Amino acid sequence: MTQQERLDFLIRWLLAESAEYGEITVPDAQADRRQLLRALMNVRPPRPASDEFLCVQDEYLQELLAERGAVRIADLAPVEPDICLWKGDITTLAADAIVNAANSQLLGCFAPCHGCIDNAIHTYAGVQLRLECARIMAAQKNEEPAGRAKITRAYNLPCRHVLHTVGPIVHGSVTPQNRAELAGCYRSCLELAAANGLKSVAFCCISTGEFHFPNQAAAEIAAETVRTWQREHHNTVRVIFNVFKETDYDIYRNILGAH
């Protein structure tokens, strides 16, 4: 099956799965078809899929990863002992784990093709990630509080695991509780990584997007928390601060003394 045939199969399967999609017209352009597939995967609730669908989906996403390219952690130069700074797409990092800035439902972003990291991670991991998250939340029986973390497999991402953490939502000025919860996100992820024998973790800029934590203050808390944890645990986990925007890259470069 070619990549185009996989794309067409997945779209047809998802459209046929729900009667409400009967009015949707499949576009002709490949870029538009890819966007439609992403949207359909984004809105799909956490329910089982057939083995045939999962097989084709996995082949499609692995081919897509080959097109996008994976980045090895060994190729990143440290700016401090066991700390790296890298600007790029976190879904291409082949770390032991990447960190997802999740919401309290922990099921991923349901907004079609939304630009948040939660959406991107679930898109490129595949529908299995939402299913695993749903099992975790069903067992937990309540929403995920800020400052904690959960670990899942990464499925079709180049990393091995995803660490899901819920950052604080800032309303107006940053409070001491906001700061404590954000620091808790970084500690919880590092502790979970160490407990599972992981050697590298890539952090996104937790809470700085939709959750409105000021970028400078968030980066200072992130760096201080990671440095303290590494001193206390003798650098057992290599940390990559992953940024996507140039403004965040400049902030972290100044904090970490990178050149």
Side-chain angles (χ1 to χ4, degrees), residues 7-8 19 62 64 78 82 93 96 102 114 137 141 195 219 242 255:
L7 177 60
D8 292 342
Q62 287 299 311
L64 205 57
D82 286 310
L93 275 178
D96 280 354
H114 192 256
M137 296 308 287
K141 295 184 173 61
N242 167 250
I255 291 173

Side-chain angles (χ1 to χ4, degrees), residues 167-180:
I169 301 175
V170 175
H171 302 284
S173 300
V174 177
T175 66
Q177 182 177 348
N178 293 153
R179 293 177 177 274

Side-chain angles (χ1 to χ4, degrees), residues 28-101:
D28 294 327
Q30 185 182 35
D32 293 337
R33 292 163 92 92
R34 284 187 172 186
Q35 283 293 92
L36 175 58
L37 175 60
R38 177 170 182 167
L40 291 170
M41 291 173 69
N42 292 159
V43 301
R44 186 178 188 272
R47 58 191 177 206
S50 70
D51 290 342
E52 183 183 20
F53 174 87
L54 294 177
C55 180
V56 176
Q57 176 213 242
D58 291 352
E59 290 174 350
Y60 172 80
L61 290 174
Q62 287 299 311
E63 181 65 25
L64 205 57
L65 175 61
E67 292 176 21
R68 298 164 67 228
V71 177
R72 300 190 315 156
I73 300 306
D75 293 336
L76 303 181
V79 294
E80 291 186 7
D82 286 310
I83 294 179
C84 299
L85 174 61
W86 183 73
K87 179 176 176 287
D89 184 348
I90 200 170
T91 65
T92 64
L93 275 178
D96 280 354
I98 63 172
V99 174
N100 179 26

Side-chain angles (χ1 to χ4, degrees), residues 13 17 19 40 57 65 109 121 156 173 193 256:
W13 195 96
E17 186 182 36
L40 291 170
Q57 176 213 242
L65 175 61
C109 171
I121 286 174
N156 292 288
S173 300
L256 300 173

Side-chain angles (χ1 to χ4, degrees), residues 123-139:
T123 293
Y124 294 113
V127 300
Q128 300 98 315
L129 181 56
R130 181 167 284 168
L131 284 165
E132 184 175 354
C133 288
R135 290 192 293 270
I136 290 171
M137 296 308 287

